[in-house]
Amino acid sequence: MFGLRGVRKTAVTVLATAAAAATALVAAPAASAAPQPIVGGTTTTTTAYPYVMQITDASGSQFCGGTLVSAKKVVTAAHCMVGESTSSVRVVGGRTYLNGTNGTVSRVSKIWINPDYTDATRGDDVAVLTLSTSMPYTPVSYVSSSQTSVYAAGTTARILGWGTTSENGGSSNQLRTATVPTVSDSSCRSSYGSDFVQSDMVCAGLTSGGVDTCQGDSGGPLIIGGVLAGITSWGEGCAEAGYPGVYTRLTTFSSLVTAQVNS
């Protein structure tokens, strides 16, 4: 059973602690060997990646990631925002540690969810948040609709997030990152069958597994060539051999994102 990479606060068990939030996977696949947050990655900082945002509930518990694309606009996954309201969500920038108190916390004045979204495995998994407070951090550019060549198989992509240290386990307290190669559409289809929607999705990961995003990383960035090219969406388990991570193919939705950024 395929699972989202986000953490729904309505899932069976959510136990907040001062250090981090314990998290549960929506439609959880069978447990696999305990993965690390950004499996196979290393710790990093928001100083190195200032555009990476925490998305939290009103009490400050992180459940998804996001990417700052302008001072008041954050790109994330649609499945992170389903069931949320502007009063239930906060965006935190400039905070490397989940239990930190530094950085900038902003309320959200508008949540735009792709109107065609129904389920991550059907595609259209993109949302844009409008912040009430400008973030004083450097945003990242995102792909235009014409930049489809960025997804050429084997291209190095960077992933970032605070995802869980094991399926249904606790989040990483520190931001982590790793690099993974993009995977050909044919290989991704071999892994996921009809759940892989080529127009809307791109896969990235090692054939042997071992490096991947995990629960709590949803909505975070897939960076290719220094540009936001994808959004962490879903996959089979975490870092399992033969099952690369699945990301929103942002070129397909670039014009929709631009309309929201300019609104």
Side-chain angles (χ1 to χ4, degrees):
M1 185 185 296
F2 304 140
L4 304 179
R5 298 278 162 101
V7 178
R8 289 291 292 277
K9 297 185 295 302
T10 53
V12 177
T13 304
V14 178
L15 178 61
T17 67
T23 57
L25 172 67
V26 176
S32 57
Q36 296 299 307
I38 300 291
V39 183
T42 59
T43 55
T44 188
T45 68
T46 54
T47 301
Y49 300 100
Y51 50 80
V52 181
M53 302 283 113
Q54 295 179 27
I55 296 179
T56 78
D57 62 19
S59 65
S61 294
Q62 183 263 349
F63 63 93
C64 273
T67 306
L68 190 72
V69 296
S70 71
K72 284 192 170 184
K73 301 290 181 174
V74 171
V75 172
T76 188
H79 78 257
C80 288
M81 291 297 109
V82 171
E84 302 295 345
S85 66
T86 54
S87 62
S88 70
V89 175
R90 304 287 187 272
V91 175
V92 183
R95 185 176 294 176
T96 295
Y97 297 91
L98 293 182
N99 65 348
T101 56
N102 63 319
T104 303
V105 180
S106 177
R107 289 179 174 267
V108 173
S109 60
K110 178 184 176 182
I111 298 173
W112 175 84
I113 297 173
N114 186 346
D116 293 329
Y117 175 79
T118 57
D119 182 87
T121 59
R122 296 184 180 181
D124 300 302
D125 195 11
V126 58
V128 178
L129 308 183
T130 301
L131 307 182
S132 300
T133 303
S134 293
M135 286 288 172
Y137 310 110
T138 304
V140 69
S141 299
Y142 58 92
V143 289
S144 68
S145 58
S146 64
Q147 289 180 279
T148 55
S149 62
V150 300
Y151 305 113
T155 301
T156 298
R158 180 167 297 279
I159 49 179
L160 294 127
W162 288 268
T164 58
T165 57
S166 62
E167 292 190 20
N168 301 324
S171 299
S172 170
N173 188 44
Q174 184 172 354
L175 178 64
R176 293 178 68 92
T177 186
T179 56
V180 286
T182 55
V183 174
S184 70
D185 294 338
S186 59
S187 293
C188 194
R189 189 175 297 105
S190 295
S191 296
Y192 291 111
S194 60
D195 283 322
F196 174 66
V197 181
Q198 181 175 329
S199 62
D200 293 13
M201 304 171 187
V202 61
C203 286
L206 300 170
T207 302
S208 57
V211 183
D212 199 4
T213 44
C214 203
Q215 292 84 50
D217 290 325
S218 269
L222 180 79
I223 302 291
I224 301 176
V227 174
L228 179 65
I231 304 164
T232 303
S233 185
W234 63 281
E236 171 67 24
C238 299
E240 293 187 11
Y243 289 99
V246 184
Y247 301 83
T248 302
R249 188 180 293 252
L250 196 54
T251 51
T252 299
F253 307 102
S254 180
S255 59
L256 288 175
V257 169
T258 297
Q260 294 303 314
V261 170
N262 292 338
S263 67

